[in-house]
């Protein structure tokens, strides 16, 4: 888990025009909320924030106006749909030792059993509850030798210590599909059309 330090400035101007002026200065408008406190409207440095958000579930240490330091995790990121630059970020306030619910990526390793079977990722990211300062970036699951019809449930995925599932244990995360069954269905449709 990486922790990134960013300097933040509180902002008092709101609305579309103010947000455009902030973005014109290569900065990003943001809101920090959580723990029952009033939302705090901030301005963050655009490039540094963009680099920080490349890490999944990054922990951000905010130096607000050089007076206070707060820890936060990104909860919602709005990007321009065409150009991809950051338009707005919602940050959730966290404390060291506090448990948070986040999604971590599921990576696979190994080869499926021979036969042209397909691996379907039912969930690309697994919802878990973990300590805010120890969020794992991902989990790895072995699919070595799995045959058609096999599935991996959430409870079968090895989690790092201090991390628990935030989803039902019987939720299917990965499943192996038979490629031959799909071809047979397609051939049956062609025969019906003829």
């Amino acid at each position: 888990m990486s922790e990134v330090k960013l300097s933040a400035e509180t902002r008092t101007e709101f609305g579309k025009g103010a947000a455009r002026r902030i973005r014109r200065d290569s900065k990003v408008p943001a809101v920090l909320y959580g723990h029952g406190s009033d939302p705090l409207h901030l301005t963050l440095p655009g490039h540094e924030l963009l680099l920080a958000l490349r890490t999944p579930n990054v922990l951000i240490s905010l130096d607000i106006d050089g007076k206070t330091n707060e820890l936060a995790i990104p909860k919602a990121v709005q990007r321009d749909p065409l150009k991809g630059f950051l338009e707005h970020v919602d940050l959730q306030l966290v404390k060291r030792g506090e448990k948070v619910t986040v999604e971590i990526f599921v990576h696979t390793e190994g080869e499926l059993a021979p036969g042209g079977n397909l691996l379907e990722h039912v969930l690309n990211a697994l919802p878990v509850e973990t300590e805010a300062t120890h969020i794992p970036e991902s989990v790895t699951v072995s699919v070595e030798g799995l045959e058609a019809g096999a599935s991996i449930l959430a409870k079968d995925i090895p989690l790092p210590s201090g991390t628990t599932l935030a989803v039902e244990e019987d939720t299917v995360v990965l499943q192996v599909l038979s490629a031959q069954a799909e071809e047979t269905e397609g051939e049956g449709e062609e025969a019906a059309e003829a």
Side-chain angles (χ1 to χ4, degrees):
M1 177 84 236
S2 60
E3 185 175 324
V4 177
K5 296 182 188 308
L6 293 178
S7 58
E9 304 165 3
T10 55
R11 61 186 168 103
T12 55
E13 289 185 315
F14 307 102
K16 195 181 291 186
R20 285 183 180 151
R21 280 191 294 279
I22 290 169
R23 288 195 279 282
R24 203 174 307 129
D25 292 337
S26 298
K27 296 182 179 179
V28 179
V31 175
L32 177 66
Y33 62 89
H35 295 286
S37 62
D38 290 334
L40 185 60
H41 299 274
L42 303 171
T43 302
L44 300 173
H47 184 69
E48 290 88 345
L49 180 62
L50 185 64
L51 293 176
L53 292 176
R54 288 186 177 171
T55 304
N57 297 317
V58 66
L59 185 66
I60 300 174
S61 175
L62 296 170
D63 179 17
I64 302 171
D65 294 329
K67 298 175 185 173
T68 60
N69 287 322
E70 299 286 357
L71 288 177
I73 57 174
K75 277 315 227 186
V77 178
Q78 296 174 7
R79 295 178 185 268
D80 181 271
L82 297 176
K83 298 179 183 176
F85 62 81
L86 297 173
E87 289 189 335
H88 190 273
V89 177
D90 286 352
L91 301 170
Q92 181 181 352
L93 191 63
V94 295
K95 294 186 177 165
R96 295 193 187 277
E98 175 186 5
K99 292 268 191 178
V100 293
T101 302
V102 294
E103 291 186 343
I104 56 175
F105 291 110
V106 178
H107 296 290
T108 58
E109 63 182 8
E111 297 290 324
L112 297 175
N117 296 325
L118 303 171
L119 180 65
E120 179 186 16
H121 287 258
V122 179
L123 293 179
N124 288 324
L126 184 67
V128 295
E129 187 175 272
T130 187
E131 187 179 329
T133 55
H134 294 91
I135 300 174
E137 289 186 23
S138 64
V139 290
T140 304
V141 180
S142 175
V143 294
E144 187 67 40
L146 291 181
E147 297 183 3
S151 60
I152 296 178
L153 304 177
K155 66 181 177 184
D156 300 330
I157 297 178
L159 297 174
S161 63
T163 303
T164 58
L165 289 173
V167 69
E168 293 291 325
E169 291 184 347
D170 294 333
T171 302
V172 176
V173 179
L174 301 166
Q175 64 184 2
V176 181
L177 304 173
S178 172
Q180 296 169 350
E182 291 179 4
E183 290 173 12
T184 306
E185 290 173 13
E187 291 170 3
E189 290 172 7
E190 289 173 11
E193 289 174 9

